Amino acid sequence: MAPIKPFVLFTITTILFSFCLFTSASSRGLSETATTVLDVSSALQQTEHILSFEPETLEPFAEESETAAESFPLNSSSSFSLPLHSREILHKTRHNDYRSLVLSRLERDSARVNTLITKLQLAIYNVDRHELKPAEAQILPEDFSTPVVSGASQGSGEYFSRIGVGTPPRQFSMVLDTGSDINWLQCRPCTECYQQSDPIFDPKTSSSYSPLPCAAPQCKSLDVSACRANRCLYQVAYGDGSFTVGDLVTETVSFGNSGSVKGIALGCGHDNEGLFVGSAGLLGLGGGMLSLTKQIKATSLAYCLVDRDSPASGVLEFNSARGGDAVTAPLIRNKKVDTFYYVGLTGFSVGGQAVQIPPSLFEMDEAGDGGIIVDCGTAITRLQTQAYNSLRDSFVRLAGNLKPTSGVALFDTCYDFSGLRSVRVPTVSLHFGAGKALDLPAKNYLIPVDSAGTFCFAFAPTSSALSIIGNVQQQGTRVSFDLANNRVGFTPNKC
């Protein structure tokens, strides 16, 4: 056999070395998926805690006083903040196991999403609000900040805050809702009132209570209204069949000892039926004319939502400064409906890799349909089916190390983490253009659906063109709406 020449040997060695180097680099590239840690044991402990939690009588907040706080005119830019709380401290859950609680939440959440979609569709198709008639119901003769609590124990994703109503002020726990505009609370006398944690508001005890006449501009701003004895009547119905009917009035609203505002239009509900158990009513924080945000002429709105199964509190703020470390995005307006807060989302990444989704799926069309809104009342983020499928498939592809299990309700991607204390999972990030991205904590997209260790990917598809960023993805993040400059800010770990 002829000896191998040195030049040939050198060439073969070089080729082999290059091949090995390329193979090694390729392997590293495939394995370099960005991951984060999901604390399985902590999440499961919370599922047990919420089931066994005994509601406590709220200790009065330092700002809760029956002495009238300093009053500010409606054009004030004063700042206020209030704590936000979870409904579990108001009313004990009726569910005996965590899975049934989750199923109840998801059912209510789907009804809420339908309500938002219907509201948008009515606006797009130019349905005259004066064509909407109230159902038959008997009616008997500036930086504001407040604490926010999760409503998880009642089978909903709602959050609550306590505010004062009337003169002297009485404190009430009210649902926060960025997807609606009407403020209302239960009032005596009741034709039908559900159980709430606070005594029902009695207008006779307030010197600032004033019914609005039918010709009042606030009455004309209602989607559904009627007139009786020259008093304006309102009605608000929700997707789960819940509704409230009563008098539209003006009252003084107090934000603890930090201040109060006179002349706020709100509904005094005498017939209130449905799944509102625990709260006294609702604060409409949307962008419409009758929302609390608009009525106090707030230049900004911000909130921090605690984990949905937590008894801790977050915060609700008006007219506060946006944090310098916030991930910002455009706040987009819809000419057809002024309630919703649209955000300029451009896409997602999973494991540090961009998900292939056409940006047009997140854009609003000329008719006002589509786009993506930020909503604190919806729990689970909804994405157009094509966008959802791409996001889910990207996650599943990079989560090959996780043990899959069968889906639950609207969740089609679930995993079995039983027996694990923690697990590494691919990262999920929201992108807003200009290189700005919000990295979600693992607990904001993999959530327990029982106490045995089943976790599901907390996104869902929708056939609607409207997408929604829900509160599960927002928890633990300070969300701020700069209404003066049309910017949305997300600041992680600032609650």
Side-chain angles (χ1 to χ4, degrees), residues 103-119 155-158 177 179 237-242 275-276 340 375 377-380 382 410 468:
L103 293 176
S104 175
R105 288 182 190 170
L106 294 177
E107 182 178 2
R108 182 179 174 113
D109 197 48
S110 294
R112 174 183 175 76
V113 170
N114 290 336
T115 300
L116 299 182
I117 293 172
T118 299
K119 181 180 180 72
S156 76
E158 296 159 348
D177 189 359
Y238 300 91
D240 58 8
S242 303
L275 303 177
F276 302 115
F340 302 146
D375 182 42
T378 299
I380 304 301
R382 301 306 205 279
L410 56 79
I468 306 169

Side-chain angles (χ1 to χ4, degrees), residues 71 73 144 227 273 369 440:
S71 179
F144 297 82
C227 189
E273 301 179 33
D369 204 5
L440 298 178

